[in-house]
Each structure stands twice: as structure tokens, then as C-alpha cells.
Amino acid sequence: MAVRKKKKDRRYSKGCNNQALLPRGSKGWPMIGESFEYFGAGWKGHPEKFLHDRMSKFSSLVFRTSLMLEDVAVLCGPQGNKFLFSNEKKLMQPWLPTTIAKIFPSSQETFNSGNSKFRKLLINVLKTEALQQFVPIIGDVAQQYFESKWKGKKEIMAYELAKTFTFELACKILLNIYDPELIKYLFGPFEAIGKGFLSIPIDFPMTPYRRAINAAKFIRKELVAIAKQRKIDLNEGKATPTQDILSRFIVYRDENGEFPGEDEIADQIQGLLIGGYENMSTTCAALVQFLAELPEIYHGVYNEQTEIAKCKAPGEQLEWSDLSKMNYSWKVAREVIRLTQPSQGYRQVMTDFMYEGYSIPKGWKVYWTALSTHKNPELFPEPEKFDPSRFEGNGPEPYTFVPFGGGAHLCPGKEYARLAILVFIHHLVTKFKWEKINADERIVYNPLPHPAKGLPIRIYPHIS
Ligand code: HEM
């Protein structure tokens, strides 16, 4: 035990050794650094290329680069993931790229302080036991969604509709908003935020970036109003949901016994809505894409889900216990996530430290992405091959499959994502078969993943 600790201390230590070198790598061009190379790899459909090229040229453990005007150390491989997830708060704290922080100015402080005040609550309200009660509700939402958006149509744009599903579900589960007009009213600005994320950050009137800044302000104002109204209803004992996420935020007291303000609640809810939106929409759309391309995988999922459906009375919703029977479907979903989600995050270095013999100075940014392991042929042989059997038995080695991050900032929506994705799959395959209209359409990254042409598909309902 003592020997192991000694070894660990030599590789990672607090404080910089003046003689030690910075990680090897390139600073790229003046001002823009290596941003073009980084984003360019994603636009070409292979965001991992930026990473893997530098891992083989400089080091498979850590290299330096310069992105968005910042000096960045990129931690790679399972060791990098483990190090980062174990040293949050001690050596690093979360950091939002300046262009994103400008869209959410009030969230920046909460984000930089590590969300510690609400983190416990988030984990609590989104943990498995708390979410079990939502399974039939998610089922209702999925059923209505497929009936209104897929049924009776010959062709649809699957990515656009996956976004609608994700957003409607979040409105209903997090905020108990069921009014379709209100959902539509909030969806427009939400889309504008998404487009602003992906645009060139030029803050002039009418640019997508400025629209995103305005849309985020608008959404926050609406959320503050919704939170205020709910507080009044709860205080006056009016009939109002007490168990949804919004109400739980309102009645939450921190360690000093204080209730959060509406502004803080709005920031947290906005964080949850944004945190899950793109990831969930892409995962649902990518599922539709892979299941269309891989008939044998579709049949495996279809067989599993129809067995579950057979045990249900007409109109009876899925329950929590049904999800444990969806082993194959969950392996398929995880393989979809492995292949499509470039899960990632930035941290700001709080104090100089040594990592693998290199010094990482205070003020630098640290970047991690699951692509350094998810697409690594040594960890996932033939990484581009769709192979759900990778998740059989004990599954991938620790710190190699990390779609939801880890440590202090592990995704709090991970369990919600699992439930929603499985329920989506159930309704999808038990009701429909479909084919891609553009056989060669692929996922591209700009920098977030999405099907290149919006995934138009032709649908064929199952005859029941
Ligand atoms: C397939 C679905 C999802 C994926 C792949 C995903 C992935 C991630 C990852 C990798 C992180 C950590 C980022 C970092 O280390 O900086 C994260 C954080 C976060 N996610 Fe998710 N997520 C998903 C769904 C969701 C959902 C549905 C929600 C909300 C209900 C959500 C809310 C959040 C929030 C609030 C954070 C920030 C946590 C913190 O900084 O402490 N995510 N997610």
C-alpha cells in the first residue's frame, strides 16, 4: 500500500517543479491557436482525429494546445480521466469557454463555484429511486409523441423530432408544463440558444450569437416567473405539483437553513434543460439512424421490446421493473452513445501541479473528452464498428467508457437519460420500422454531433 502511494505521489503532485517541462504540443497560430484544427476535425466527421494525431505525436497521456485564446492541457486515456475525476476541487474547478459564459452570465458564478450548493439536491432529485415514479409519465409522453409526430406520416425529419421529444419531456418532468402552447413558446428561444452555441461568436444585432444571448435572457426571465408563481401556489396551499423537480428546488433549504431565490432556481433549471437537450436529442436521433442501418441490431431490440409489450394490457404503460428487462436495448444505446457523443468538459487550474512529469501551471485550462478512450482501438478494438457485445459481462475497463464524465461533476442527468432513452426505444421499435432516405447520411460535429442532413426517414408502422 505504502509503495503504491509513493508511486502515485511521484507522478502527480501539487506545486510545480521549476525544472519541469510543460506538456509537449503545439500552440498553433497566434490568437486562434489550434482552434481550426480542433473544429475542422469535427466538421469532417472525426473529432477524435485532432486528439489521436497529437496523442501519437506528443504523448498518449497529456499534450498541450491552444484553443479559444487559452493555454490548454489535454488529459488523455483512462489515466487522464481518472486523474481529472479524482482531483476536482483540489486542483481544478469547472470552467466555461468565454463565448458560452457570455450566453449564460448568471450561471458562470454558480458553475465556477462547482455548483456545490445545489449539487446535492440535483443528485437527490435525479437519482434512480426518485425517478422511478416518473417512468409511466415518460411512457405517456413518448406514446403521445409517437402518435402525434410519427403516426400517419410517410416521411419525417427524425433529428428535428428527437429535439421536440427531448424538450417536451424535460418541460413535463422538470417543470410540470403540459400546455402545448407554452412548450412551443419556450422551444423557439431554446433552439436559438442551440444555434448560438454553434455559431461564430460575433455579438452584433441579428447574428445567431446575439440571438442566443437574448434567448437565454428571455428563458431565464420566464423561468423566474414560473418559479415565483409556483412558490406562491405552494405557500398558499393551492393544488400544485409538489414532487416535480421545480417544487423540490423551491422547498430546498441549504445548510444555513435558507431557501434558494427564484434567480438561483431559474439558473439551475436552465442548466438542467440545456445540460440534457443536445446530448439527448442526438442520442435519440442516432439510435434511429443506427437501427435503420443495422437490421440485425434492430431485430434484437425489437424482439426484446415486443416480449415486454406482450405482458402489458392495451394502453398499460411501462413500469420501473420493465426497464431491468431491457438489457440488450441498453447495450445498444450505450454503443450509440460511445460512437456519437464527444462527452467533454473544461476545467481551470487552481494551483500549479505536476502530472506525468509535466508541470501544469495555475490559470491554464484542462480539457478532457471521452473520445480519447471511446475511439481508441487499444481500448475498444475496431472502434468504428457497432458492437453492443462490448458491454457484456463486466463491460469496458474502468475509466474507459465515461460518457457521463465522473467525479464531482458526474452528469446528474445520467439516470434520467437512461430511463428516457429506454422508454423512447420501446415505443419506437414496437410501433415502427423505418429506412433512411439518404443512405449515406452520417453524424457530423459542429462541434456538437448531429445527423448531417437532419435524418429524413421513411416510416412503416407495424400492423397490430
Ligand atoms: C445522453 C445523455 C447525456 C450525456 C452523454 C451527458 C454527458 C454529460 C457529461 C460528460 C457531463 C460532465 C461534463 C464535465 O465533466 O465537465 C455532464 C454534466 C452535466 N449534465 Fe449531462 N449528459 C446527458 C444527459 C443529461 C440530462 C438528461 C441532464 C438533465 C436532466 C443533464 C444535465 C447535466 C448537468 C446539469 C451537468 C453539469 C454537472 C456539473 O457540472 O456538476 N445531462 N453531462
Side-chain angles (χ1 to χ4, degrees):
M1 201 53 201
V3 175
R4 272 178 66 191
K5 186 158 192 306
K6 223 175 181 178
K7 190 173 169 208
K8 192 174 157 200
D9 285 346
R10 248 201 345 260
R11 287 163 65 206
Y12 323 122
S13 62
K14 218 168 168 175
C16 272
N17 166 355
N18 286 337
Q19 305 302 316
L21 296 172
L22 296 173
R24 293 174 62 214
S26 164
K27 289 183 3 173
W29 298 91
M31 301 291 287
I32 54 170
E34 294 199 289
S35 302
F36 275 135
E37 288 86 343
Y38 169 76
F39 290 114
W43 289 324
K44 288 183 192 150
H46 291 286
E48 70 278 6
K49 192 169 178 330
F50 174 84
L51 216 65
H52 291 170
D53 285 355
R54 283 154 187 77
M55 284 167 73
S56 45
K57 190 167 173 193
F58 302 118
S59 158
S60 58
L61 299 171
V62 55
F63 65 85
R64 80 168 292 182
T65 182
S66 170
L67 298 172
M68 297 169 287
L69 305 176
E70 302 284 348
D71 285 316
V72 179
V74 183
L75 299 191
C76 310
Q79 300 93 319
N81 294 339
K82 184 175 180 191
F83 178 73
L84 185 122
F85 301 155
S86 327
N87 284 288
E88 306 265 21
K89 295 185 184 163
K90 283 184 256 167
L91 304 177
M92 298 167 250
Q93 64 179 14
W95 178 78
L96 278 180
T98 326
T99 51
I100 306 237
K102 198 166 168 184
I103 301 181
F104 306 110
S106 55
S107 304
Q108 178 69 26
E109 205 182 308
T110 336
F111 195 73
N112 277 350
S113 65
N115 288 337
S116 46
K117 184 167 169 190
F118 289 103
R119 175 88 199 167
K120 252 192 250 151
L121 173 68
L122 271 185
I123 301 293
N124 226 344
V125 292
L126 293 172
K127 69 181 179 197
T128 315
E129 303 79 49
L131 286 174
Q132 290 182 12
Q133 53 162 324
F134 289 116
V135 174
I137 305 176
I138 299 176
D140 274 339
V141 175
Q143 188 165 342
Q144 281 166 24
Y145 159 80
F146 282 110
E147 268 169 24
S148 61
K149 303 287 193 308
W150 283 53
K151 201 171 161 190
K153 313 272 189 315
K154 287 201 169 99
E155 291 177 6
I156 57 159
M157 297 298 281
Y159 179 48
E160 210 46 48
L161 290 187
K163 291 200 261 182
T164 318
F165 171 72
T166 307
F167 190 68
E168 274 187 24
L169 185 64
C171 284
K172 291 173 182 172
I173 301 288
L174 302 177
L175 296 164
N176 211 52
I177 295 179
Y178 278 77
D179 174 0
E181 287 307 311
L182 183 51
I183 294 177
K184 217 162 134 193
Y185 174 72
L186 295 172
F187 186 63
F190 220 81
E191 274 286 270
I193 298 178
K195 289 194 179 123
F197 272 163
L198 311 178
S199 68
I200 301 166
I202 300 174
D203 183 9
F204 280 139
M206 307 306 286
T207 58
Y209 188 63
R210 171 69 70 85
R211 283 206 198 107
I213 294 174
N214 291 340
K217 259 189 222 153
F218 170 86
I219 295 265
R220 188 170 184 275
K221 210 173 98 210
E222 291 297 318
L223 290 174
V224 169
I226 291 169
K228 265 193 182 138
Q229 188 56 50
R230 177 69 69 82
K231 223 176 199 178
I232 295 171
D233 293 347
L234 284 171
N235 284 341
E236 292 179 357
K238 288 196 185 148
T240 190
T242 52
Q243 287 308 310
D244 67 351
I245 311 290
L246 175 60
S247 286
R248 294 204 193 182
F249 270 117
I250 290 174
V251 298
Y252 174 71
R253 280 170 193 252
D254 63 18
E255 38 300 350
N256 303 323
E258 284 174 20
F259 291 107
E262 291 91 7
D263 288 7
E264 287 178 306
I265 295 170
D267 285 339
Q268 292 300 317
I269 299 276
Q270 193 177 44
L272 283 179
L273 288 170
I274 305 272
Y277 178 65
E278 297 287 348
N279 289 323
M280 288 290 292
S281 308
T282 305
T283 303
C284 291
L287 265 161
V288 172
Q289 174 169 322
F290 282 110
L291 292 180
E293 288 169 356
L294 303 164
E296 70 289 6
I297 304 284
Y298 174 90
H299 281 297
V301 175
Y302 174 80
N303 290 341
E304 181 175 83
Q305 296 295 343
T306 40
E307 281 308 308
I308 295 168
K310 274 187 211 158
C311 305
K312 299 268 153 202
E316 187 186 349
Q317 271 317 337
L318 290 171
E319 283 164 25
W320 170 247
S321 57
D322 294 317
L323 302 190
S324 58
K325 300 174 199 152
M326 300 186 184
N327 287 328
Y328 183 69
S329 303
W330 184 230
K331 281 182 201 138
V332 169
R334 276 180 288 172
E335 185 65 343
V336 167
I337 294 174
R338 182 187 70 79
L339 281 163
T340 56
Q341 290 294 345
S343 301
Q344 55 191 304
Y346 281 96
R347 304 291 184 270
Q348 173 149 278
V349 177
M350 292 150 66
T351 175
D352 297 342
F353 67 88
M354 297 290 297
Y355 179 68
E356 293 293 342
Y358 294 107
S359 81
I360 315 286
K362 180 177 176 183
W364 271 39
K365 306 299 175 280
V366 165
Y367 173 68
W368 79 273
T369 161
L371 292 173
S372 87
T373 52
H374 288 190
K375 297 274 182 104
N376 184 334
E378 282 164 26
L379 305 168
F380 293 94
E382 293 186 76
E384 291 306 323
K385 187 175 164 198
F386 193 98
D387 181 5
S389 73
R390 301 178 198 274
F391 296 95
E392 272 162 17
N394 290 335
E397 290 295 312
Y399 297 102
T400 58
F401 182 63
V402 287
F404 297 104
H409 295 284
L410 173 74
C411 173
K414 137 181 199 288
E415 197 52 30
Y416 169 101
R418 189 178 78 90
L419 304 193
I421 290 167
L422 287 176
V423 175
F424 176 86
I425 294 180
H426 177 81
H427 287 272
L428 173 71
V429 301
T430 53
K431 294 185 175 67
F432 303 99
K433 209 167 166 7
W434 59 95
E435 64 183 3
K436 283 166 68 177
I437 291 179
N438 303 312
D440 59 352
E441 184 173 4
R442 293 278 166 267
I443 303 277
V444 291
Y445 298 76
N446 67 344
L448 300 174
H450 63 99
K453 295 175 187 157
L455 194 57
I457 53 167
R458 206 163 284 124
I459 35 187
Y460 308 98
H462 292 307
I463 313 291
S464 48

